[in-house]
Amino acid sequence: MSTWRFQLRSRSEEPVDGSVIQHQQLQAMSPKDVERIPILVDGRTLALADVFQVTHQASHVDQIVVAGELTSVHGLGTGHDSGEFVIDGDAGDHVGSRMSGGTLHVAGSVGNHLAAPAGGHRLGMTGGRLVVDGDAGHFAGHRMRRGTVWINGNVGDHLGGAMIAGTIIVAGDFGAGSGLAMQRGTLIVAKPDERSWPQPRFSRPVRFNASFLKLLRPFVPASHRSDKLIDQLVVDCTRVRGDRCVGGQGEILMPG
Amino acid sequence: MEGAIAMSESLQINGVEIEATFAEAFDMKATRIIITADDQQWADEAAAAMTGFGTSVIACKIEIDVERRLQPNQTPDGRPGVAILAFAVSGSELEKQIPVRAGQCVLTCPTTALFAGIDGDAATLPKRIPLGKTLRYFGDGHQISKIIGGQRFWRVPVMDGEFLCAHDVGRVDGIGGGNFLLMADSMRAATSACRAAVAAIKDLPGVITPFPGGATRSGSKVGSKYKTLMASTNEAYSPALLGWPPKANSTGDSASDQSALSDDIRAVLEVVIDGMSFDLIADAMRVGIHAACDAGGGNGLLRVTAGNYGGKLGRHHFKLAEILK
């Protein structure tokens, strides 16, 4: 096993396509080959080594670390399938797009479309564990199919839109239009606000025994506020279900 | 295959003679499930139903019993629980019996949840026994799947909330038929020794004694004069057949008395042990025999022996002299 480290050379406003850093691709490549991977920067094709300083070393874990001021780097963790992917800092859009396994940890905030599909793809995240220590933007979990997303901060609008399955836990605030066109899946939120989901399309809030959340408790990320949220919901939980406009049986769990 | 027994000196524990023989046991397929509930009583009641009619594969098709109670800090959902071990002669039989029993005895029992008690996912234990994989359909489309910690669970809506159930559980190799026989001068003495043995085995991990009270009085031999029966009473250990006119042997001569009992034996009880490994069964036999001898020595327990078929049927031989060293 090994650790690949990608240190952004300099902060830039130009959008960088970080989706080329993929675990399964790196396994068969030498450091020199990796440095030559083509990467799009604002439409121009550069070598990966032009954008990131690449280091590779043996490790006791299978790990990718991307570090630096990454808010203009999009698509990090795309297609991640096993091992650890660590984003050391804030990142751009489409983090964890089509992620299917392993863990992805963002030690900061992310942009829009967390765990959502990019380009012409139909599905977002399909497995694994995605942890965001900070905030997430709009459309988090859009078309998510499976897996668990932990967000320690706030999220924007349309959380879990068109979600197919999976679980998203938000310890902070969440925006409007959550769960729109949601088919299945679970949104767990700390601060219920009935304006946050499309009212006529979801059931009325009912008391719910969420005993299954006890199984989630050991997996709460370290230093996340979700631990208190999970403990609270086990004894005091309300649920709404929808989106009925699409025949959905998704659920939003909240205290109260 | 282990070799023939040889024990030059007679062994005694607390004045009870230990015969120079061995218990013969068989390969089986095994699994462990965990039942939890809001309180211990519901968990115990589900376990009692699940393990009912599970004494012998001869007719029950499964040997199943409570392994031990579990404290809340030992269960996946932090509630009181029970661990159950189940054994069958084939994987397919186990795959048939467990979901049926889980559906009728655990799904039905208020507040219960059902979990896998064998560590290992489909990659490490590819032979799986369905739990929620089958039971989820009771949800009639309202069931919800959750993958937590790499393991799939099902949430099935029921009248007290949701029935939480693991998708499946791994199947492993086990051993069935470890045993020892307690021979006493009265039924009271046999009972006393038997209960002491079973109580000592009760808390040991990885083993069960599936018969009523942990013991059987109907120890059997293979086959019968009736062709439809695969097992019948073991004449050699039946005090009721002591002194019965000997049967003629194949040459037509009168054979000697076939009883394995002396005239002072009035009751024999057999403790049968299934376990997850040879060592666990051997340890349970050792603990059980010592407990029986401690309680029964000088109180009517005269001899301890073990049941076997001459070493021709089961490949696991528990030699009393060796396991009691």
Side-chain angles (χ1 to χ4, degrees), chain A residues 166-182:
Chain A
T167 305
I168 303 176
I169 303 99
V170 181
D173 297 326
F174 65 114
S178 298
L180 187 72
M182 181 180 189

Side-chain angles (χ1 to χ4, degrees), chain B:
Chain B
M1 182 75 76
E2 293 160 44
I5 266 289
M7 192 163 69
S8 56
E9 297 177 14
S10 66
L11 176 63
Q12 289 198 345
I13 300 174
N14 197 26
V16 179
E17 181 190 348
I18 311 298
E19 292 193 349
T21 187
F22 63 96
E24 186 172 350
F26 311 89
D27 288 317
M28 297 185 91
K29 302 303 178 187
T31 193
R32 178 190 286 113
I33 59 169
I34 293 171
I35 299 171
T36 67
D38 275 2
D39 59 40
Q40 190 69 55
Q41 186 173 340
W42 282 128
D44 287 345
E45 283 162 345
M50 176 104 187
T51 60
F53 188 57
T55 55
S56 169
V57 292
I58 291 175
C60 307
K61 306 304 177 188
I62 189 170
E63 297 181 6
I64 182 169
D65 200 6
V66 170
E67 180 188 20
R68 63 188 189 276
R69 280 181 167 180
L70 299 174
Q71 298 301 310
N73 62 2
Q74 297 174 302
T75 63
D77 62 357
R79 301 190 299 168
V82 174
I84 288 174
L85 289 179
F87 298 81
V89 294
S90 69
S92 60
E93 192 62 47
L94 209 54
E95 289 162 17
K96 190 163 66 177
Q97 290 286 332
I98 293 294
V100 170
R101 286 169 179 264
Q104 295 301 303
C105 308
V106 186
L107 168 64
T108 55
C109 183
T111 79
T112 58
L114 184 59
F115 300 102
I118 301 282
D119 290 335
D121 57 15
T124 54
L125 288 176
K127 304 288 187 183
R128 312 295 293 177
I129 296 168
L131 297 174
K133 182 180 180 182
T134 300
L135 302 181
R136 62 177 153 151
Y137 294 110
F138 184 75
D140 200 25
H142 301 290
Q143 65 272 23
I144 295 174
S145 164
K146 280 283 162 244
I147 296 178
I148 300 174
Q151 198 180 349
R152 182 187 292 277
F153 297 90
W154 288 97
R155 298 162 49 198
V156 180
V158 285
M159 290 164 63
D160 67 353
E162 286 184 330
F163 170 57
L164 180 61
C165 186
H167 182 70
D168 57 16
V169 58
R171 191 186 88 195
V172 296
D173 292 331
I175 298 172
N179 69 81
F180 56 89
L181 280 68
L182 304 172
M183 298 191 280
D185 64 5
S186 68
M187 188 57 216
R188 176 176 294 183
T191 294
S192 175
C194 172
R195 287 179 176 162
V198 173
I201 295 170
K202 184 177 175 58
D203 291 331
L204 298 178
V207 294
I208 57 170
T209 52
F211 282 96
T216 179
R217 66 174 178 178
S218 60
S220 60
K221 67 178 184 297
V222 176
S224 163
K225 67 181 285 186
Y226 306 107
K227 290 181 181 176
T228 55
L229 290 186
M230 60 186 292
S232 61
T233 191
N234 193 342
E235 294 98 335
Y237 291 95
S238 172
L241 296 178
L242 264 174
W244 191 252
K247 296 175 183 176
N249 63 19
S250 59
T251 63
D253 298 330
S254 179
S256 59
D257 190 342
Q258 294 185 358
S259 179
L261 307 180
S262 52
D263 288 351
D264 52 356
I265 303 296
R266 293 286 183 268
V268 181
L269 293 180
E270 179 176 358
V271 176
V272 178
I273 304 167
D274 298 335
M276 304 299 268
S277 73
F278 184 94
D279 289 344
L280 288 172
I281 293 177
D283 189 48
M285 288 178 64
R286 180 183 56 76
V287 168
I289 291 171
H290 273 288
C293 293
D294 288 347
N299 293 313
L301 179 65
L302 303 179
R303 275 189 283 161
V304 174
T305 188
N308 64 65
Y309 308 94
K312 296 174 183 172
L313 292 178
R315 72 185 181 103
H316 303 287
H317 299 169
F318 297 90
K319 301 169 187 172
L320 297 186
E322 291 188 2
I323 65 176
L324 291 170
K325 276 179 184 172

